[in-house]
Structures are given as C-alpha cells and as structure tokens.
Amino acid sequence: KQWYQRRVRDAMNLKNGNGELQEELDQIKRQVKSLSTENSELTDQLEGGGKQTHEIEKLRRKLEADNEELKNTLEETETLLTMEENKTSKLTLELSQLKMEMEKRLQERDDEGDKDRKNLL
C-alpha cells in the first residue's frame, strides 16, 4: 500500500512539474516571438536607411544571438517536457495496472471467502 501511495505521490509531483515546464515553455515562446518581432522591426529600419546604422546592426546581432539562445532553451525545455510527460504516462499506466491487480486480488479473496462459507454450510 505504501508503494502504491508513493507511486501516486510521484505521479502527482510529475504532473505538477509538467505544468511548470509548460508555463516556462509558453513564456519562452512568447519571448522568442517578441524578439523575432523586434528583430524584424530593426531589420526594416536598416533597409530604410535607418539612423545610426552601426548601433542598429550591433543591436540586431545581439538580438539574433539572444533569439538563438532562447530557441535553444525552448528546444531543451520541450525535450524536458516530453520526458516528464513520458514519465507521467508510464506512472499512470503502472497505477492502472496496480489497481487492476489489486481489484483482481480482492475479487479472488471474496470468491475464496464465498467458497469457504458455502463449504461451511
């Protein structure tokens, strides 16, 4: 029973971890989108003969580097999320199997009890 309770606790912890990873993933996606938009705006300024070309180009390179870093973080987070989801699925399956096994054992005990009662009568 303790093992079963521990598995339930583990599953709940993984589920909570998945939620946190999903929130982080969503935040990173928003940051990537924001940086992409900012990058596009800066590129448009450069093409239109924008002011302070050197500073804009420097900022564009920085934004591209930041964008690349965020993309890498996004990929890592997605991988972690997938791993956590797989763990959660595995634990959910194990819990279902344990539940079926426990129900089967209980039914077998009930059947044995019924059989013993009939034999006593």
Side-chain angles (χ1 to χ4, degrees), residues 72-91:
N72 290 336
T73 303
L74 175 64
E75 289 174 9
E76 291 171 9
T77 303
E78 286 174 336
T79 299
L80 287 173
L81 179 61
T82 299
M83 289 169 54
E84 291 299 318
E85 286 172 344
N86 290 340
K87 287 179 186 177
T88 300
S89 295
K90 181 181 175 186
L91 281 173

Side-chain angles (χ1 to χ4, degrees), residues 21-48:
L21 284 173
Q22 186 62 49
E23 289 175 20
E24 184 178 335
L25 177 63
D26 292 342
Q27 181 182 3
I28 290 170
K29 284 181 179 179
R30 286 189 297 273
Q31 288 174 344
V32 167
K33 183 178 179 182
S34 174
L35 286 173
S36 293
T37 301
E38 191 172 348
N39 191 21
S40 293
E41 291 171 358
L42 289 173
T43 301
D44 290 346
Q45 287 178 10
L46 278 174
E47 290 172 356

Side-chain angles (χ1 to χ4, degrees), residues 57-110:
E57 183 62 28
K58 183 177 167 182
L59 182 57
R60 185 185 65 77
R61 285 192 304 268
K62 182 189 179 308
L63 286 173
E64 285 177 348
D66 290 348
N67 192 21
E68 190 62 34
E69 183 180 328
L70 281 172
K71 283 180 181 179
N72 290 336
T73 303
L74 175 64
E75 289 174 9
E76 291 171 9
T77 303
E78 286 174 336
T79 299
L80 287 173
L81 179 61
T82 299
M83 289 169 54
E84 291 299 318
E85 286 172 344
N86 290 340
K87 287 179 186 177
T88 300
S89 295
K90 181 181 175 186
L91 281 173
T92 301
L93 178 62
E94 286 180 14
L95 288 174
S96 295
Q97 290 171 340
L98 282 172
K99 183 179 177 184
M100 289 187 322
E101 185 178 324
M102 292 174 84
E103 289 173 354
K104 180 182 175 185
R105 287 182 183 174
L106 287 173
Q107 185 61 45
E108 288 172 355
R109 285 185 191 168
D110 288 347

